[in-house]
Each structure stands twice: as structure tokens, then as C-alpha cells.
Amino acid sequence: MSLGPVMLDVVGTELSVDDVRRLQHPLVGGVILFARNFKNCEQLKALTISIHQVRQPPLLIAVDHEGGRVQRFRDGFTAIPPMREFGKIWDSDRKQARALATEAGWVLAAELRAHGVDFSFTPILDMDYGDSLVIGDRAFHLDPRAINELAFSLMDGLKKGGMAAVGKHFPGHGFVTADSHVSIPVDEREFDQIAQNDMQPFRQMIDEGLPAIMPAHVIYPKVDDKPAGFSERWLQKVLRQRLGFNGVIFSDDLSMEGATVGGDVTTRSLAALNAGCDMILLCNRPDLADELLETLEWKMPAQSIVRLARMHGAHHPKNLTQLHKTGVFAEAVKRVARVGQPEGDLFA
């Protein structure tokens, strides 16, 4: 059974009978984990093993583990700083900022891979305009050059740790104030203004091999009356054709308020898939998950199957304790944990 186009969540710290039933459905291709799915490192590893054993090929396991306020697993994991902290260092020492971003990506990926997680939805490529309620310090910088340098470095570190990167939120979520989790943001700018600013980090990262992208639940009415994740114009004409992107397109969570303009859960799922998403996310609503699995009809394109197969995690450390005792990794952990702390030269 190949991977399906739907990524769901699970209810608790171990799989329930209903979880297993849903995950065995042919439309399902992945699982996204949240803080509620984490009790400790041993439990997390047991949970990911049980998810991977549900079927073959194994389902993809993902998490929003960016650092700062968006880090689902805490106890036993290195505290990754908000990405804005790397941007602050970049302002005074670009080389040091890039090196630290690489180490952060390595630490983040290696620790997640040691627990069976395939990838994290990171890095944020949005520009930090200073007004967004949902982006804020999750963004690296306002300068597209800084975003590109730091995001590329983080991607390099993720790859070293066995993990693919996912850039978000295309074509840019940083300009609007509203939070798409609870409202429907509208960005009134012209396409050229977005293309010359917010899209630049995406363009550069695509040229450098970015494996996956997540579009924004934002409406850009000067371009299309649909949010980017439901827009064939944004995903096919701009992202695929104009920017030449051939990686995975993941929808943002279709249970978010910003997605409700797409209609009921099946209608909005079909809208996202027809617009060009390879995989759609539906989180925190098991009732809607059951409705979707019962009603959605979708034949997975061969290209989507190939793209998603590349998102499986690569090599991973068998023992996180031993990894933390390894000199070079232990030093990287110390430096990453000190980012944002007033302790002088991080490489001293």
C-alpha cells in the first residue's frame, strides 16, 4: 500500500484502537505529533515505532519543532532558540550566525531522528515585518539575504541529522497581522511587491534544493480570491512553473480558521489537492478525520508518491544518551543552548 495524501494526528501518548483504524486507511500517508503525544523520550520512541509498524511502507511522522515557542518536545531535548536570535547574530557576525544555524539544524534533526520522527515542518521563510501575531520571533529576519543564508544553513544541519527541510509559509505570511489559526488573513499587496520581497527566500531555497514547502492560509486578493494553499495560480503557475519547484507541497492544517473558506472538510481537502498539494494536514478534529476518510475520493498521482517517499528520515542515532556524550555533538548542543543568552562569544 503506497502512502496516501492525508496526514492526521493521534489522540494520546500511545495508539488507540481508533488511531490504528484511521492510520490503516489507504488515504492516510502520515502522522503529525503534538505536545500532548509526548510524555518522555522512551514513550515517544515507543509511539513512533508503533506508528511505523502500522503498515508498509511506513507512514511519515512529522512535528512542528522549530525552536522557541514552537517546540513540541521539551524534556530530554535541547531547547532550540527562536530563529530571530540567529538573525540578531547575523547582523554583527554573519559567519558565526550561519555556523550556529547549521548546528541548530543538526541538533534538532538528530534528536528527533533518534526518536523515530522523520521530519519537522521547518524552517520558517517568512519575513519578520514585526507585526504578525503568529510569525513573530519564529522568523529569522526582515532581510531576504539573512533569511536565505540562515535557512540554508539550518537546512544543511537538518540534512546532516538525517532530515528533510520544509519551508513555510509560501508565498509569505509575515506581512499580515492576523493569525490564520483563528481568523482568515488577507494580504492586500500587489503580486510584484510580494514577489520582490517575501518570495525571494523561497526562490533562493528552491534553487538550493529545498525538498518541501507549506503554503500559507492567507488570501492575496490581488492574485487570487482563494488562500494560497487552495490556489492553483499560486501553487501551479507561480510555485511549480515560475519558480521551478518540484518538491513536496504540504497543505497547512485544514482544520484552521484560515482554511474554512474552502467549504466542508472534504470540499476543502479536494480544493487543496486539486490546487497542487501532494499531502493535506488535518489536525485536532478526529470527527472530521473520520468524515474525510469516509467521503474523500482521490487517486494519488505517481509524482506525489515519489516526492513523499523522499521525506522519510535517513540515518539516525540509535542512542540519544551516547550521542549527547559525543564530543562534537555535545559542544554543538552547548552552543545552540547558549544562543540568545548574554554570554559573549559562542565559539570561545
Side-chain angles (χ1 to χ4, degrees):
M1 186 190 303
S2 63
L3 296 179
V6 180
M7 177 173 279
L8 300 176
D9 54 345
V10 294
V11 174
T13 54
E14 56 185 36
L15 293 184
S16 68
V17 172
D18 282 334
D19 288 329
V20 173
R21 171 180 56 78
R22 292 184 190 106
L23 300 187
Q24 288 177 336
H25 195 288
L27 284 171
V28 175
V31 175
I32 181 169
L33 299 178
F34 291 90
R36 68 169 184 273
N37 304 122
F38 178 73
K39 185 167 60 177
N40 56 52
C41 292
E42 292 73 22
Q43 167 271 325
L44 177 62
K45 197 164 186 178
L47 176 61
T48 60
I49 288 171
S50 65
I51 292 170
H52 279 144
Q53 287 176 340
V54 165
R55 50 194 269 199
Q56 288 296 323
L59 296 168
L60 294 168
I61 301 178
V63 65
D64 281 318
H65 197 89
E66 304 166 8
R69 61 196 157 94
V70 183
Q71 180 169 331
R72 304 303 189 206
F73 312 140
R74 301 281 179 177
D75 187 24
F77 282 79
T78 301
I80 306 295
M83 295 300 105
R84 182 186 282 166
E85 294 299 330
F86 298 99
K88 290 177 183 175
I89 297 169
W90 186 89
D91 286 334
S92 57
D93 190 333
R94 291 167 66 167
K95 184 177 179 182
Q96 186 185 61
R98 290 195 301 267
L100 286 166
T102 300
E103 289 191 323
W106 179 32
V107 169
L108 187 159
E111 291 183 346
L112 288 174
R113 290 295 301 123
H115 293 84
V117 177
D118 289 296
F119 63 93
S120 171
F121 288 107
T122 189
I124 292 274
L125 300 180
D126 302 312
M127 293 174 65
D128 183 11
Y129 287 96
D131 296 322
S132 173
L133 297 174
V134 69
I135 303 303
D137 65 1
R138 296 165 66 193
F140 286 107
H141 211 281
L142 179 61
D143 188 331
R145 293 171 304 167
I147 299 169
N148 177 236
E149 287 185 23
L150 295 171
F152 177 78
S153 298
L154 188 90
M155 180 171 74
D156 203 35
L158 291 172
K159 187 175 181 180
K160 183 178 179 182
M163 188 169 280
V166 184
K168 58 188 187 183
H169 304 84
F170 179 82
H173 200 316
F175 189 79
V176 289
T177 304
D179 178 352
S180 55
H181 291 84
V182 294
S183 60
I184 302 170
V186 177
D187 188 332
E188 296 282 0
R189 292 177 298 166
E190 299 286 347
F191 175 80
D192 285 350
Q193 191 177 354
I194 299 166
Q196 289 163 17
N197 295 287
D198 304 61
M199 272 170 51
Q200 287 307 309
F202 291 94
R203 179 192 297 275
Q204 291 161 344
M205 288 290 284
I206 288 167
D207 289 345
E208 287 161 347
L210 181 66
I213 280 177
M214 176 179 283
H217 281 330
V218 176
I219 298 174
Y220 308 84
K222 300 286 173 60
V223 181
D224 198 342
D225 59 2
K226 305 183 194 74
F230 298 116
S231 167
E232 187 176 341
R233 188 168 299 170
W234 277 117
L235 300 187
Q236 296 293 339
K237 295 204 164 37
V238 180
L239 185 55
R240 292 286 190 212
Q241 296 172 21
R242 182 166 174 158
L243 300 186
F245 179 64
N246 194 35
V248 179
I249 301 177
F250 290 98
S251 83
D252 207 342
D253 178 11
L254 295 184
S255 70
M256 287 163 54
E257 185 63 28
T260 57
V261 295
D264 65 46
V265 68
T266 306
T267 305
R268 73 183 84 147
S269 297
L270 278 171
L273 290 166
N274 281 316
C277 290
D278 298 289
M279 179 169 275
I280 53 174
L281 275 67
L282 184 63
C283 313
N284 304 311
R285 289 291 303 272
D287 57 327
L288 291 184
D290 286 335
E291 180 184 336
L292 180 64
L293 297 181
E294 189 176 332
T295 57
L296 179 66
E297 293 183 14
W298 184 256
K299 180 171 171 49
M300 199 68 169
Q303 269 191 314
S304 293
I305 294 171
V306 171
R307 289 173 186 143
L308 288 166
R310 298 185 192 128
M311 297 302 295
H312 285 290
H315 56 87
H316 63 87
K318 300 227 179 334
N319 187 309
L320 189 61
T321 305
Q322 286 301 113
L323 181 66
H324 279 160
K325 289 179 180 175
T326 307
V328 64
F329 190 81
E331 288 302 312
V333 166
K334 286 180 190 173
R335 282 192 287 270
V336 169
R338 289 207 305 266
V339 170
Q341 308 301 317
E343 294 185 21
D345 187 357
L346 294 158
F347 287 91

